[in-house]
Amino acid sequence: MSQIYDRVALIGLGLIASSMAHAIRRGGLAGEIVGTARSAETRDIARELGFCDRVVDSAAEAVKGADLVVLAVPVGAMSAVAAEIAPHLAKGATVTDVGSVKQAVIDAVGPHLSEDLHFIPGHPLAGTEHSGPRSGFAELFDNRWCILVPNGADKDATIRLRKLWEGLGSNVEEMDPEHHDLVLAVTSHTPHLIAYTMVGVADDLRRVTDSEVIKYSAAGFRDFTRIAASDPTMWRDVFLTNKDATLEILGRFTEELFALQRAIRTGDGDALHDYFTHTRAIRRSIIEAGQDTDAPDFGRVGQHEVKKS
Amino acid sequence: MSQIYDRVALIGLGLIASSMAHAIRRGGLAGEIVGTARSAETRDIARELGFCDRVVDSAAEAVKGADLVVLAVPVGAMSAVAAEIAPHLAKGATVTDVGSVKQAVIDAVGPHLSEDLHFIPGHPLAGTEHSGPRSGFAELFDNRWCILVPNGADKDATIRLRKLWEGLGSNVEEMDPEHHDLVLAVTSHTPHLIAYTMVGVADDLRRVTDSEVIKYSAAGFRDFTRIAASDPTMWRDVFLTNKDATLEILGRFTEELFALQRAIRTGDGDALHDYFTHTRAIRRSIIEAGQDTDAPDFGRVGQHEVKKS
């Protein structure tokens, strides 16, 4: 793999950015990796771990001379970061992000960037329930999708960013921001909200003790807790900034849930059986499409973590 | 491990019963394993795979001379099976089951059994999204919980059945039927219903194609499809027979979901952040309690399947 950018600036050094740094090193994709984070503690950890060539104290300093700038902060912080870095960006640089929603990022970041820059939002569909600079690892993006939202950006700059993500191990797709936000509301945002809710309910129930919930979690509940362990700040911002699509899918969800609830209440076994047979077929399609095996690979990261400890 | 029963009769030869047969063999826990299933096809597969010493054509025949009878059929079929086998049960035999609800099984089976039998309902908290006689394997119950509901049954008979489950690899707990049904409604039944619903919603949405749902399923949705792939007949019966507890937990779930939905709609980021921080702590408790590692072991079975293929 050959070098794609001379200098990559990573703004924010959490799970995604630290994994990008590890994977950029692995592939030799950049001449230099410069990183920064708002918290001094995070910067110190990054210096200790050494996954950046340089860790600097401000975003303004980090972006100087970088031909790729990656905004890897919570969506709610994007606007302030864009305002801070805008006067310091190198002419012709590409600015991208890794946020879970795209229209809100375009609205927050776009107005700060001048015409001589290439703003190409991105979203790697990869993550674990862990967060912070210690949680990163080079394999995070391998065989995962990364969605780019060029939204009219320069073609050559887009091809270059695509090559970076391919070098990081990802399969790359392009999408409109609105469609991205709807697809993610279905496949990620609403499932996360539901998992959070179910875990909250279980903890709330006085007649079933917490220790029982934990003890018998393998019966199905445990998979919800895994989803519900993700970074609270990131997810707060996702729901606040992808409000419309999430509320739409939630509306459909409660509608269907009420229909199943009614089937339970009225003892309509045929309706339940038909529904469950249908959803089982969807699971088969996912396995046949090669998006999962019988062995769940949500655990891939976990296995990595276990190896380390 | 030494022999605990002379002859074990397995009624129904799906995932649980076939796994029991494999694990009984592994531990040398029974002198003879006799199996039967309603469908001729299932019986033929069981004969081909050879995990029973004998496969017979009727439940009445299977239970003759057995000192342990395991009802491993869907909860909705328990009453008819109990009526069929009752006249043929050996005096002093223990009758147990592996159903996911317990009060409904007691109501369905209890009235058919005479006083000289030991009826000790059970529920191994183990399973995969696969079903049928080919899906069984000896390790299914290793380090899983098995809940026994003696409900006043003979102590020695209960100890003996407990020893069998320990020999199958399980940790055994005893519980009242009502409490069992509530705990499972929280940790298993409601999470399954929710997963089924979310998968149904995703499939229903016209503006997001099925192929997109499948392609980007790794973003969170995939864990729901895994849960929602379980046996439709079993789950229909679970919801019909654990109606009250499931509806109670569903009521709490929708209440909390509406509160979060309102927080999204009104942009109450603090409420969302607090909620997500709290659920994250629950996930940590599960890992600390040793009920999960960073690597999900819901995949244990999947790994087994992969090895086979």
Side-chain angles (χ1 to χ4, degrees):
Chain A
M1 199 75 68
S2 57
Q3 186 175 316
I4 296 167
Y5 292 98
D6 292 331
R7 183 182 295 169
V8 174
L10 301 172
I11 315 299
L13 293 169
L15 167 67
I16 298 294
S18 59
S19 295
M20 286 182 76
H22 288 294
I24 287 171
R25 286 257 174 95
R26 179 187 67 178
L29 306 173
E32 186 184 20
I33 303 169
V34 182
T36 191
R38 195 184 48 174
S39 118
E41 190 193 345
T42 302
R43 296 196 300 269
D44 286 344
I45 294 171
R47 287 188 184 105
E48 172 205 329
L49 298 178
F51 52 73
C52 293
D53 298 306
R54 276 192 296 137
V55 175
V56 299
D57 287 345
S58 76
E61 199 182 339
V63 303
K64 279 177 192 158
D67 47 355
L68 178 67
V69 174
V70 181
L71 307 177
V73 298
V75 174
M78 294 275 182
S79 174
V81 170
E84 183 191 345
I85 62 172
H88 309 280
L89 290 165
K91 203 179 163 183
T94 292
V95 176
T96 188
D97 77 304
V98 296
S100 305
V101 298
K102 295 275 64 81
Q103 188 58 55
V105 169
I106 290 168
D107 295 344
V109 174
H112 297 287
L113 303 183
S114 63
E115 286 294 316
D116 62 349
L117 296 162
H118 306 296
F119 178 40
I120 308 167
H123 180 200
L125 304 192
T128 77
E129 71 263 38
H130 304 288
S131 48
R134 292 193 194 281
S135 58
F137 56 102
E139 298 80 19
L140 180 62
F141 310 107
D142 286 349
N143 294 312
R144 298 300 181 117
W145 289 98
C146 178
I147 300 174
L148 295 183
V149 181
N151 211 23
D154 179 71
K155 277 199 177 171
D156 289 341
T158 303
I159 289 170
R160 196 169 164 204
L161 184 60
R162 176 187 270 270
K163 278 190 184 150
L164 180 81
W165 278 107
E166 288 168 353
L168 296 174
S170 290
N171 305 308
V172 180
E173 279 284 342
E174 294 181 21
M175 227 180 250
D176 290 336
E178 198 203 357
H179 192 65
H180 167 278
D181 290 355
L182 181 65
V183 169
L184 269 289
V186 174
T187 57
S188 177
H189 304 169
T190 308
H192 272 81
L193 192 75
I194 287 165
Y196 276 123
T197 307
M198 189 64 227
V199 173
V201 168
D203 188 53
D204 227 32
L205 200 71
R206 293 283 166 266
R207 281 185 294 141
V208 176
T209 66
D210 281 359
S211 68
E212 282 175 321
V213 167
I214 291 164
K215 199 162 165 182
Y216 304 119
S217 61
F221 179 71
R222 195 175 52 188
D223 284 315
F224 282 69
T225 68
R226 188 173 310 117
I227 301 178
S230 309
D231 183 54
T233 303
M234 173 191 145
W235 282 102
R236 176 197 65 195
D237 289 357
V238 164
F239 295 120
L240 294 180
T241 56
N242 199 15
K243 185 188 287 198
D244 293 344
T246 305
L247 291 177
E248 182 191 332
I249 304 304
L250 267 182
R252 284 169 172 266
F253 174 82
T254 47
E255 198 177 286
E256 298 236 8
L257 188 64
F258 286 160
L260 286 174
Q261 188 170 325
R262 170 185 277 267
I264 293 173
R265 199 183 294 281
T266 62
D268 187 349
D270 289 344
L272 294 172
H273 193 273
D274 288 351
Y275 201 93
F276 301 161
T277 303
H278 181 62
T279 56
R280 188 177 224 196
I282 297 170
R283 171 70 184 164
R284 289 218 183 92
S285 324
I286 288 178
I287 293 175
E288 280 161 18
Q291 286 305 298
D292 201 0
T293 61
D294 284 341
D297 102 326
F298 202 36
R300 207 169 53 119
V301 177
Q303 284 152 14
H304 173 88
E305 290 291 319
V306 166
K307 262 190 278 166
K308 279 200 309 195
S309 62
Chain B
M1 199 73 68
S2 58
Q3 187 175 316
I4 296 168
Y5 292 98
D6 292 332
R7 182 182 295 169
V8 174
L10 301 172
I11 315 298
L13 294 170
L15 167 67
I16 298 294
S18 59
S19 296
M20 287 181 76
H22 289 294
I24 287 171
R25 285 257 175 95
R26 177 187 69 177
L29 306 173
E32 187 183 20
I33 303 169
V34 184
T36 191
R38 196 184 47 174
S39 118
E41 189 193 346
T42 302
R43 296 196 300 270
D44 286 344
I45 294 170
R47 286 189 184 104
E48 172 205 329
L49 298 177
F51 53 73
C52 293
D53 299 305
R54 278 192 294 137
V55 176
V56 299
D57 288 345
S58 76
E61 199 182 336
V63 303
K64 279 178 191 158
D67 47 356
L68 178 67
V69 174
V70 181
L71 307 177
V73 298
V75 174
M78 293 276 182
S79 175
V81 170
E84 182 191 346
I85 62 172
H88 308 280
L89 291 165
K91 205 180 161 182
T94 292
V95 176
T96 189
D97 77 303
V98 296
S100 304
V101 298
K102 295 275 64 82
Q103 188 58 56
V105 169
I106 290 169
D107 295 344
V109 174
H112 297 286
L113 303 182
S114 63
E115 286 295 316
D116 62 349
L117 297 162
H118 306 297
F119 178 39
I120 308 167
H123 180 200
L125 304 192
T128 76
E129 71 263 38
H130 303 288
S131 48
R134 292 193 194 279
S135 58
F137 56 101
E139 299 79 19
L140 180 62
F141 310 107
D142 287 348
N143 293 313
R144 297 302 182 115
W145 290 98
C146 178
I147 301 174
L148 295 183
V149 181
N151 211 24
D154 179 70
K155 278 200 175 168
D156 289 341
T158 303
I159 289 171
R160 197 170 164 203
L161 184 60
R162 176 187 269 271
K163 277 190 185 152
L164 179 82
W165 278 106
E166 288 170 351
L168 296 174
S170 291
N171 304 308
V172 180
E173 279 284 342
E174 293 180 21
M175 227 180 250
D176 290 336
E178 198 203 354
H179 192 66
H180 168 278
D181 289 356
L182 181 64
V183 168
L184 269 289
V186 174
T187 57
S188 176
H189 304 169
T190 308
H192 272 81
L193 193 74
I194 288 165
Y196 276 123
T197 307
M198 188 64 227
V199 173
V201 168
D203 187 53
D204 227 33
L205 201 72
R206 293 283 165 266
R207 281 185 295 142
V208 177
T209 66
D210 281 359
S211 69
E212 283 176 320
V213 167
I214 290 165
K215 199 162 165 180
Y216 305 119
S217 62
F221 180 70
R222 195 176 53 188
D223 284 313
F224 282 69
T225 68
R226 188 173 309 115
I227 302 177
S230 309
D231 182 54
T233 303
M234 175 191 144
W235 283 101
R236 177 197 64 195
D237 288 358
V238 164
F239 295 120
L240 294 180
T241 57
N242 199 18
K243 183 189 288 198
D244 293 345
T246 305
L247 290 177
E248 182 191 332
I249 305 304
L250 267 182
R252 285 169 172 266
F253 173 82
T254 47
E255 199 177 284
E256 299 236 6
L257 187 64
F258 286 160
L260 287 173
Q261 189 170 325
R262 169 185 279 266
I264 293 173
R265 197 182 296 279
T266 62
D268 186 349
D270 290 343
L272 295 172
H273 193 274
D274 289 350
Y275 201 93
F276 301 161
T277 303
H278 181 62
T279 55
R280 188 177 224 197
I282 297 170
R283 170 70 185 165
R284 289 218 184 94
S285 325
I286 288 179
I287 293 176
E288 281 161 18
Q291 287 304 298
D292 201 0
T293 62
D294 285 341
D297 100 328
F298 201 36
R300 205 170 53 121
V301 177
Q303 284 152 12
H304 172 88
E305 290 289 321
V306 166
K307 262 189 279 167
K308 279 201 307 193
S309 62

